[in-house]
Amino acid sequence: MNILVCVKRVPAPGARIVLTDDSQGIDTRHLGFTTSPHEECAVEAAVQLKERHGGTTTVLTLGPPDAVEQLRYSVSVGADRVVLVPADSTEWDPQATASALVEAIKDLEGDSPFDLILFGNESADSGGYQVGIRVARALGRPVISGLKGIEIDGDQMVGRRETDEGFEVYRLPMPAIAAAKEGITLPRYPTLPGRLKSRRAEIHEVPAEMTPGGQEMVSLLKPAEEVTETVILGHGAEAAPGVVRLLEEVGLL
Amino acid sequence: MTRILVFVDNDRGTLSPSALEALTPAYSLADSLDASLELATVGEGGRAALEPVGLGGYVISHPVLSDYAPEAYGDALAQLVSEEQFSVVISLGDDRGAEVMAHMAAVLDQPLVANVTEIADTEGPDGSWEVIRVRWGGSLLERARLRSDLKFLTIAPHTFPAPEPNGGAGPLTTFVPEIPDSLARTRVVERVKLAEGLTLATAPVVVSGGRGVGSAENFAILEELADLLGGVVGCSRVATNNGWRPHSDQVGQTGTRIAPDLYIACGISGAVQHWVGCMASKQILAINTDPEAPLVTKADYAVIGDLHEILAAVIAEIKARP
């Protein structure tokens, strides 16, 4: 089982997002960066499949040179090989991202396709919900989104996805592609040997051309913030009667 | 005349409660462009569900489309769009809408703008449009320019109310696409039902816990309150990552987005990731030791103090009612 996971480096905002003065990005001077959550879980899923079925896990990111931080992190939690597709810091629209990834994947694969390529369902920041599907279409491979469970059965990928009532099951012939959602796995923490290994990991670079698609970011804006006057019902146990009155008003009691 | 197509998903003949939301901005767009507005759905089962909407359009029918199949849906709709020369295609940006639209846009090699909240300008240079779309799950917006002859947009869920059916039964024509049997490779093969009754997405009240709850066992008191109120328990990402609750309980950008009558957030500070999942709640009650916690300042009501002590007192008070 050779698996490729495509991940995105994103800022890790806390309770407030602050924009840069030119409204072209978010102010990351005081923020750390992380792997977009769905993709972090996809990496864990790939490592677990490798542990069960053998093979290798490759993690690829299209991003700025600093995205090496996320690639090294993925080595510390079990990835075997990491690939950087260098991109400048400007916003790449979904079509541009997908076509650059397709070129990079073809370059990595040569004549032997990955059995499975995993994406995140959508990135935490730009949330386009489409890059994995565009890549799959360009490569002519089956794809499903919203992957919440995965097993391998012979030459098929058995995927589950959540519905309101339970889940749906899909069976895709491999090579296949899927866009995973957080919750497919619980990511492990890096071990000390993993951390040491990640520092020595070689970063493969595959260049890509930026071919702009039809969507362009003009600027970012903050949604109109509702100013809420919070009613304090009380402190500690003495607030209980006030809470019960609220529950009655809402019609729950 | 400009023709606008709205894709409305049906699941074996049933519409989800939000299925028609995308029609509201579509009606406004059709008015401002003086365009025609038509519907498309997949499977004969959708006919009865969509006729009451009162719009004309298409029911797409083919043996490969016997159940949800994202690739085949995408191919079939792309054929309809091409043959009938639609120039704008809109869908709700829920799981299936986002997926089917991405397939359609990829097949036709067109851009797709996801989770639009406003179509701000349709008279930009060279036929381009300016739209406002959601980023970071809704904590940030983006002004985006869309340059293409064929415009694909998904509409952010929970942004527009669904329109009232206008009563007249619109004529829905059957459209039979040509799709290879091989595209059945991504069709649903099995459905497993887990939940009966209330779910996180439908419960009128959600009692949710975060870091402040402290352990998996400590969620018992949240369960007790949820049971008393006829609701369910939710949690923050911290609770999931600590293994206290299953991911299916997670409220947030990467979990479930909910809109209950009352959201009771216990020991949750309210990072952006969590806020965007609960901000559509009608009322929010935050219980937290920290009066400055972001969720406390954004909530309608708050109780300051230890959540275990407070919940125990609330439960006792409810049980003591006549």
Side-chain angles (χ1 to χ4, degrees), chain A residues 126 137 161 182 216 218, chain B residues 75 99 133 147 237 254:
Chain A
S126 50
R137 284 284 181 170
R161 83 187 211 181
E182 187 182 71
E216 185 194 341
V218 178
Chain B
D75 273 40
E99 185 174 38
R133 64 178 294 267
R147 297 176 212 277
R237 189 156 180 256
T254 51

Side-chain angles (χ1 to χ4, degrees), chain A residues 51-107:
Chain A
E51 288 167 349
R52 219 171 304 144
H53 302 280
T56 60
T57 301
T58 305
V59 173
L60 176 153
T61 192
L62 181 145
D66 286 345
V68 165
E69 183 193 347
Q70 279 60 49
L71 292 177
R72 291 201 188 280
Y73 185 86
S74 70
V75 172
S76 76
V77 291
D80 303 294
R81 188 165 178 244
V82 285
V83 182
L84 175 69
V85 182
D88 54 21
S89 57
T90 57
E91 185 71 23
W92 287 42
D93 76 280
Q95 287 171 291
T97 306
S99 63
L101 290 177
V102 168
E103 290 314 307
I105 290 166
K106 284 181 179 166
D107 190 309

Side-chain angles (χ1 to χ4, degrees), chain A residues 14 124-126 130 134 137 145 161 165 167-169 171 182 214 216 218-219 221 230-231 233 236, chain B residues 75 96 99 110 112 133 141 143 145 147 185 189-190 192 194-195 237 247 250 253-254 299-300 302 304:
Chain A
D125 56 350
S126 50
Q130 55 191 277
R134 288 187 186 274
R137 284 284 181 170
S145 301
R161 83 187 211 181
E165 302 172 326
F167 57 89
E168 295 167 344
V169 183
R171 281 183 170 268
E182 187 182 71
E216 185 194 341
V218 178
S219 61
L221 51 152
T230 307
V231 178
L233 297 174
Chain B
D75 273 40
R96 287 186 177 184
E99 185 174 38
Q110 296 291 321
L112 158 65
R133 64 178 294 267
L141 298 171
R143 194 176 287 282
R145 185 152 294 283
R147 297 176 212 277
R185 66 191 184 177
V189 294
E190 189 191 346
V192 178
L194 294 177
R237 189 156 180 256
H247 188 274
Q250 185 177 315
Q253 186 180 343
T254 51
D300 304 287
I304 309 304

Side-chain angles (χ1 to χ4, degrees), chain B residues 2 7 37 47 89 123 125 153-154 159 191 206 210 212-213 255 258 267 302:
Chain B
T2 303
F7 166 64
L37 184 60
R47 184 182 295 277
V89 187
E123 292 173 354
L153 315 169
T154 64
T159 305
R191 290 161 191 270
V206 175
V213 178
I258 59 170

Side-chain angles (χ1 to χ4, degrees), chain B residues 13-300:
Chain B
T14 306
L15 300 184
S16 79
S18 52
L20 299 176
E21 286 176 8
L23 282 172
T24 300
Y27 279 122
S28 314
L29 181 67
D31 271 351
S32 74
L33 294 178
D34 198 16
S36 74
L37 184 60
E38 291 156 82
L39 283 177
T41 197
V42 176
E44 279 300 326
R47 184 182 295 277
L50 283 173
E51 269 177 346
V53 173
L55 286 172
Y58 301 88
V59 172
I60 302 177
S61 194
H62 189 282
V64 174
L65 303 170
S66 58
D67 201 335
Y68 182 62
E71 288 184 293
Y73 271 47
D75 273 40
L77 280 151
Q79 273 176 37
L80 174 66
V81 168
S82 300
E83 281 181 26
E84 294 296 324
Q85 300 185 333
F86 283 98
S87 50
V88 181
V89 187
I90 297 178
S91 161
L92 185 67
D94 57 0
D95 287 349
R96 287 186 177 184
E99 185 174 38
V100 170
M101 291 287 280
H103 276 282
M104 250 191 280
V107 169
L108 298 171
D109 196 21
Q110 296 291 321
L112 158 65
V113 186
N115 287 323
V116 169
T117 58
E118 186 188 336
I119 299 169
D121 177 20
T122 55
E123 292 173 354
D126 303 321
S128 67
W129 285 10
E130 193 170 282
V131 300
I132 310 289
R133 64 178 294 267
V134 162
R135 283 174 83 104
W136 286 104
S139 32
L140 211 56
L141 298 171
E142 172 190 343
R143 194 176 287 282
R145 185 152 294 283
L146 174 58
R147 297 176 212 277
S148 57
D149 297 330
L150 188 47
K151 309 268 189 317
F152 284 91
L153 315 169
T154 64
I155 301 298
H158 300 310
T159 305
F160 297 96
E164 293 298 320
N166 76 8
L172 296 175
T173 313
T174 302
F175 176 80
V176 182
E178 280 175 37
I179 3 179
D181 291 346
S182 61
L183 286 190
R185 66 191 184 177
T186 47
R187 188 170 59 205
V188 174
V189 294
E190 189 191 346
R191 290 161 191 270
V192 178
K193 208 169 176 178
L194 294 177
E196 285 289 345
L198 284 180
T199 65
L200 200 52
T202 59
V205 54
V206 175
V207 184
S208 210
R211 190 187 304 277
V213 178
S215 71
E217 297 72 39
N218 285 350
F219 269 88
I221 197 160
L222 279 74
E223 294 274 8
E224 190 181 353
L225 180 61
D227 282 347
L228 281 171
L229 299 177
V232 300
V233 167
C235 71
S236 72
R237 189 156 180 256
V238 173
T240 315
N241 283 353
N242 286 340
W244 299 342
R245 302 295 297 182
H247 188 274
S248 50
D249 283 359
Q250 185 177 315
V251 174
Q253 186 180 343
T254 51
T256 304
R257 320 250 174 119
I258 59 170
D261 295 333
L262 179 65
Y263 185 61
I264 306 180
C266 309
I268 298 176
S269 68
V272 162
Q273 144 82 233
H274 189 77
W275 174 247
V276 298
C278 68
M279 64 186 181
S281 306
K282 289 184 192 73
Q283 308 265 19
I284 297 177
L285 165 63
I287 300 178
N288 207 300
T289 50
D290 176 9
E292 303 299 322
L295 201 59
V296 172
T297 61
K298 289 175 177 170
D300 304 287

